[in-house]
């Protein structure tokens, strides 16, 4: 007797869960979402959505829960569809043509400016650092008093 596609999908889901130490019944929505992401490598979004519904129907029969309708699973399915449509779209045309960057004349190289030599510090006075001193701030021990304004 040949298995129905729903049973094949369920067996595939159970086979995916077992080596990962996940329980297929009752399935956590995160488990189903992770399985859908795993299926993304092999199947198209329409086939993945069909698998999601079939697994959800089997889980409903076995545990009376529908993780396929959970917001996490729905968001995952939406992301799979979005990523598939992005892959289908052609790359946008370049903003600039190659001629904008290449010209017959080569740009002239400018030499970097040399820094002026530093004056030697006097031996008697210590050299001052360029950084300002750190300001130490602390919390008040008592609240700041505020006067009420008279109307």
């Amino acid at each position: 007797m040949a298995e129905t596609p729903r049973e094949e999908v369920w067996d595939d889901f159970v086979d995916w869960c077992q080596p990962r130490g996940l329980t297929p019944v009752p399935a956590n929505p995160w488990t189903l979402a992770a399985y859908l992401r795993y299926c993304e490598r092999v199947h198209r979004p329409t086939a993945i959505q069909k698998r999601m519904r079939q697994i959800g129907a089997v889980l409903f029969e076995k545990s009376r829960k529908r993780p396929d309708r959970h917001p996490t699973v729905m968001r995952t399915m939406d992301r799979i569809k979005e990523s598939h449509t992005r892959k289908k779209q052609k790359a946008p045309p370049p903003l600039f043509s190659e001629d904008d960057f290449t010209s017959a004349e080569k740009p002239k190289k400018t030499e970097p400016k040399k820094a002026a030599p530093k004056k030697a510090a006097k031996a008697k006075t210590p050299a001052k650092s360029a950084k300002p001193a750190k300001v130490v701030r602390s919390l008040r021990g008592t609240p700041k008093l505020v006067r009420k304004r008279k109307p």
Side-chain angles (χ1 to χ4, degrees), residues 43-60:
H43 302 288
R44 292 181 181 209
T46 53
I48 295 171
Q49 192 165 18
K50 192 174 185 180
R51 283 177 166 261
M52 178 185 70
R53 287 189 193 127
Q54 290 172 343
I55 292 169
V58 173
L59 285 170
F60 183 70

Side-chain angles (χ1 to χ4, degrees), residues 68-122:
D68 59 319
R69 295 182 180 169
H70 193 273
T72 302
V73 177
M74 300 305 289
R75 275 194 309 266
T76 302
M77 194 64 225
D78 290 341
R79 298 276 157 69
I80 290 171
K81 289 176 185 176
E82 287 174 15
S83 67
H84 185 72
T85 55
R86 268 189 261 129
K87 289 177 186 176
K88 277 182 147 181
Q89 292 175 348
K90 294 181 181 178
L95 294 174
F96 303 103
S97 66
E98 190 66 32
D99 297 334
D100 293 341
F101 296 106
T102 59
S103 63
E105 297 179 16
K106 292 184 178 179
K108 296 178 182 178
K109 292 183 179 179
T110 57
E111 293 182 20
K113 294 180 180 179
K114 294 181 181 179
K118 294 182 179 180
K119 295 180 182 178
K122 295 180 181 178

Side-chain angles (χ1 to χ4, degrees), residues 15-32:
D15 292 342
W16 179 84
C17 288
Q18 287 175 345
R20 290 166 178 79
L22 303 171
T23 56
V25 178
N28 189 324
W30 181 90
T31 304
L32 183 57

